[in-house]
Amino acid sequence: MTVDDDVEKGRPEAIRAVPVRHPGRWVAAAVVVVLVAMFINFLLTSDALEWPEQRKYITSDAVLRGVRNTILLTVAAMIGGMVLGTVLALMRLSANPLLSGAAWFYLWFFRGTPLYTQLLIWGAIGSLFPTVGIGIPFGPEFQTWQTQALVTPMLAAGLGLILNEAAYMAEIVRAGILSVDEGQQEAASALGMSRMQTMRRIVLPQAMRVIVPPTGNEVLSMMKNTSLVAAVPFSELTFTAQTIYASTYKIIPMLVMACLWYLLLSSVLMIAQYYIERHFSRGVGKNGSARTQRIRFRGGGGGQ
Amino acid sequence: MSGGDNVTDPLAKTPAPESGGLMVKAERVHKSFGRLEVLKGIDLEVRQGEVMCVVGPSGSGKSTFLRCINHLEKINAGRLWVNGHLVGYRQQGGKLYELRDREVSAQRREIGMVFQRFNLFPHMTALENVMGAPVWVKRQPKDQVRSRALTLLERVGLADKAQVYPSQLSGGQQQRVAIARALAMEPALMLFDEPTSALDPELVGEVLDVMKQLALSGMTMVVVTHEMGFAREVGDSLVFMDDGVVVEEGTPREVLANPQHQRTQDFLSKVL
């Protein structure tokens, strides 16, 4: 039927049918409503949560210092982990078998042992390496320091998290680099660009699109994994909460308070990730900008 | 046909060719991928300003030969000169020295290449694609490069698409941006690797038009192609390759109208 026919005969009547009923969904929805009501009731009426106690500590100096340390550790560990991870990824992709072998061994060790155990070792690093020094390998040392004095709890915690994170970031970066079409490197070489220029200007910016989403996950888990540096020990957010309830015996209120802080931090991180992903999706998709992605994001938010 | 006997010793002394008017000179060029010998002794000369079209069945080694010219592939034996310079090596006292990456990059700057699959940089706009190499590699001032890049985009008919990302362009438009990108480095020689093979039929013409304009402007070009019409109209010479060797070479008119070899006749009867 052509458009002209339509105009002549008029549009056919719009369909008005009785929609299919979904009784299963109604039951499920009713169950969820009851559960949510029970949860809200619990939040409002439970004595165990002791909201006034939480309010007393949530912005106290000690807790704020713990939050600051958590943020510092997360930022330092992620930046260090990304830099070292990129180096390891390039080593693994190297044609030199010694370099790729060394990188493989590093990943094997740091991904094959628990982070908590690694951090315990960092806490006792003084007994593993009593002194550190500068000198000729297997030869004399020019300058020697006591490890225990040199490695503060902050440094031990940071190094432990960085070295562990680098192993995971290396695999993420490697996957990102491998995801870039080989033709891109050829085109860059054919234009006379050096290997470094090709990596920096052409390959890595495109690899970022693959690298950013899993890295967002890494930042979130890192933010939470900082709580493990209590093993060193170093006083970040969870450790601070523990210290407080050790004297007040208000265990649950302090832990819930810590959770609220973690949730606030991770919400900020998720928003940041959305904007970073949008930046690196330049030139992808028919619209060339992130407009399609924003629609998808909204659609996802209001999903049915 | 193959066999190691006729492979030239890479260390053997060969007299440098007279570079007068010669843009590309290939002498007994061999190339193998593992055990598979793809080029079995290619001898070719491309004069300055010449447009050479290379045709042949797929797997005949024509693309590989093109990639050897700008050292994207290393040749295993023989000699290859571009503009009087040995490609990828330096010959000193009867010995060959591999060039450093930096020196290879410097050689490539005078050779532009256009790929079958365009290989535009998808995270950069058309204008940024054209501006990138002159700014980063030649370190030319941005303003100067920008105006030259805009002129080039205008020359390929895409002045209005400067701020657009490759994914928003048709295949033909992408390939024209790729040509502008190669020209921005002001090369002495342009290599085209089946530039229209990945295009929808109705988009082939616009790319060939740009290439024809380029040929008329005096650019030296080596074009691997299946477009016999283009070869006949624009080419100064036509080379037919099969199974890693040059089977026949001459003016397009001669080769297309009156092929001398059975293999050439068979191939042309299938594509014409």
Side-chain angles (χ1 to χ4, degrees):
Chain A
M1 188 187 276
T2 65
V3 178
D4 286 343
D5 285 345
D6 258 359
V7 174
E8 266 170 43
K9 297 176 189 167
R11 265 174 70 90
E13 190 192 347
I15 290 175
R16 271 193 218 96
V18 180
V20 176
R21 309 294 176 192
H22 297 283
R25 282 188 205 167
W26 299 342
V27 174
V31 171
V32 169
V33 167
V34 171
L35 287 175
V36 168
M38 285 170 72
F39 182 64
I40 292 174
N41 180 51
F42 160 77
L43 286 183
L44 294 177
T45 59
S46 168
D47 292 335
L49 292 172
E50 295 191 52
W51 293 111
E53 185 72 13
Q54 292 193 38
R55 202 172 308 128
K56 196 164 106 198
Y57 283 102
I58 196 158
T59 53
S60 67
D61 285 349
V63 169
L64 287 182
R65 213 174 308 125
V67 170
R68 189 201 63 191
N69 283 345
T70 290
I71 295 174
L72 272 180
L73 267 185
T74 308
V75 170
M78 283 315 296
I79 290 176
M82 280 186 227
V83 172
L84 186 56
T86 306
V87 173
L88 285 165
L90 293 175
M91 280 171 73
R92 273 211 79 182
L93 293 169
S94 162
N96 184 329
L98 206 65
L99 288 182
S100 64
W104 181 89
F105 180 82
Y106 183 99
L107 300 197
W108 173 77
F109 181 81
F110 281 96
R111 295 200 305 168
T113 53
L115 175 57
Y116 188 71
T117 315
Q118 289 172 25
L119 288 168
L120 284 172
I121 293 176
W122 277 102
I125 195 71
S127 3
L128 184 61
F129 303 108
T131 60
V132 286
I134 300 174
I136 299 163
F138 305 108
E141 287 195 351
F142 307 133
Q143 181 67 269
T144 311
W145 295 275
Q146 293 295 315
T147 308
Q148 207 64 63
L150 198 66
V151 181
T152 61
M154 172 86 183
L155 189 61
L159 282 174
L161 292 175
I162 286 174
L163 295 191
N164 184 264
E165 185 55 31
Y168 290 92
M169 283 308 300
E171 286 299 89
I172 293 173
V173 172
R174 188 171 72 104
I177 290 173
L178 290 179
S179 76
V180 178
D181 183 45
E182 235 177 290
Q184 294 289 308
Q185 294 196 39
E186 283 193 349
S189 307
L191 285 166
M193 291 169 69
S194 71
R195 251 181 246 207
M196 280 292 286
Q197 282 172 330
T198 305
M199 200 39 87
R200 182 168 148 229
R201 304 283 190 181
I202 306 301
V203 176
L204 283 180
Q206 291 182 61
M208 287 308 276
R209 212 163 48 81
V210 173
I211 292 174
V212 168
T215 304
N217 278 343
E218 288 296 308
V219 179
L220 281 182
S221 29
M222 175 55 74
M223 203 257 303
K224 292 170 292 178
N225 281 344
T226 53
S227 61
L228 294 178
V229 303
V232 167
F234 178 66
S235 58
E236 43 61 66
L237 181 53
T238 299
F239 190 82
T240 307
Q242 284 175 319
T243 315
I244 295 172
Y245 70 61
S247 57
T248 63
Y249 301 107
K250 312 276 189 190
I251 299 177
I252 289 295
M254 286 306 102
L255 291 179
V256 170
M257 178 207 71
C259 283
L260 290 176
W261 266 114
Y262 283 118
L263 283 172
L264 175 69
L265 295 180
S266 54
S267 304
V268 172
L269 287 173
M270 283 176 196
I271 294 168
Q273 182 181 358
Y274 163 68
Y275 283 102
I276 294 172
E277 274 179 33
R278 203 169 71 155
H279 173 76
F280 283 109
S281 65
R282 267 173 311 164
V284 177
K286 272 290 166 203
N287 285 330
S289 69
R291 190 146 22 112
T292 44
Q293 209 197 354
R294 196 182 310 146
I295 290 164
R296 222 180 296 137
F297 183 77
R298 278 195 190 140
Q304 321 203 335
Chain B
M1 189 71 247
S2 57
D5 297 5
N6 56 354
V7 176
T8 340
D9 175 8
L11 297 184
K13 210 170 172 188
T14 33
E18 7 137 25
S19 62
L22 268 192
M23 183 57 74
V24 180
K25 182 176 168 66
E27 255 180 27
R28 293 187 291 167
V29 168
H30 286 254
K31 169 68 190 174
S32 306
F33 292 109
R35 288 223 182 126
L36 180 71
E37 193 169 38
V38 183
L39 300 180
K40 302 168 180 172
I42 303 285
D43 289 282
L44 273 180
E45 287 182 1
V46 184
R47 283 172 292 104
Q48 228 149 46
E50 180 177 342
V51 176
M52 175 184 277
C53 292
V54 183
V55 302
S58 58
S60 59
K62 50 197 195 311
S63 284
T64 303
F65 176 65
L66 202 69
R67 293 162 58 82
C68 289
I69 294 179
N70 69 352
H71 208 51
L72 281 180
E73 305 289 353
K74 269 186 197 172
I75 63 176
N76 300 112
R79 292 287 188 278
L80 192 54
W81 291 267
V82 170
N83 222 354
H85 303 294
L86 200 56
V87 174
Y89 301 93
R90 186 179 51 227
Q91 195 158 14
Q92 223 166 24
K95 258 188 170 177
L96 275 190
Y97 296 88
E98 246 182 65
L99 292 185
R100 295 162 186 280
D101 286 347
R102 196 148 36 89
E103 296 165 310
V104 172
S105 297
Q107 280 192 340
R108 285 184 180 136
R109 276 168 223 170
E110 51 187 80
I111 308 170
M113 186 156 188
V114 175
F115 298 85
Q116 182 179 350
R117 304 218 44 91
F118 329 134
N119 293 347
L120 286 182
F121 306 131
H123 59 302
M124 293 154 62
T125 63
L127 182 64
E128 288 167 345
N129 264 278
V130 179
M131 287 178 62
V135 172
W136 299 327
V137 177
K138 285 187 166 177
R139 309 209 174 278
Q140 292 172 338
K142 243 185 175 170
D143 299 341
Q144 191 191 318
V145 174
R146 179 188 301 273
S147 66
R148 205 172 71 229
L150 286 169
T151 312
L152 279 169
L153 283 175
E154 200 182 318
R155 210 168 129 191
V156 299
L158 293 172
D160 55 328
K161 300 287 186 190
Q163 303 301 338
V164 161
Y165 286 97
S167 62
Q168 295 162 274
L169 296 172
S170 75
Q173 291 170 330
Q174 288 190 53
Q175 194 60 298
R176 286 187 280 153
V177 173
I179 293 173
R181 176 177 71 174
L183 290 176
M185 289 295 280
E186 298 175 313
L189 166 69
M190 284 285 285
L191 308 175
F192 293 84
D193 188 5
E194 303 199 25
T196 57
S197 297
L199 295 178
D200 291 340
E202 79 270 22
L203 302 177
V204 169
E206 60 187 65
V207 172
L208 292 182
D209 281 344
V210 167
M211 290 169 61
K212 192 173 150 189
Q213 291 303 316
L214 191 58
L216 289 175
S217 74
M219 176 64 74
T220 314
M221 294 161 61
V222 181
V223 186
V224 170
T225 187
H226 295 294
E227 297 291 331
M228 297 303 159
F230 176 84
R232 185 181 303 137
E233 193 189 345
V234 182
D236 297 308
S237 56
L238 183 68
V239 170
F240 173 69
M241 277 179 69
D242 191 14
D243 199 23
V245 295
V246 172
V247 176
E248 196 160 344
E249 189 185 356
T251 66
R253 218 166 290 274
E254 281 167 12
V255 178
L256 291 175
N258 191 17
Q260 300 298 306
H261 292 260
Q262 186 62 43
R263 275 195 280 176
T264 320
Q265 288 167 19
D266 291 347
F267 176 75
L268 291 178
S269 71
K270 281 177 206 150
V271 299
L272 283 183

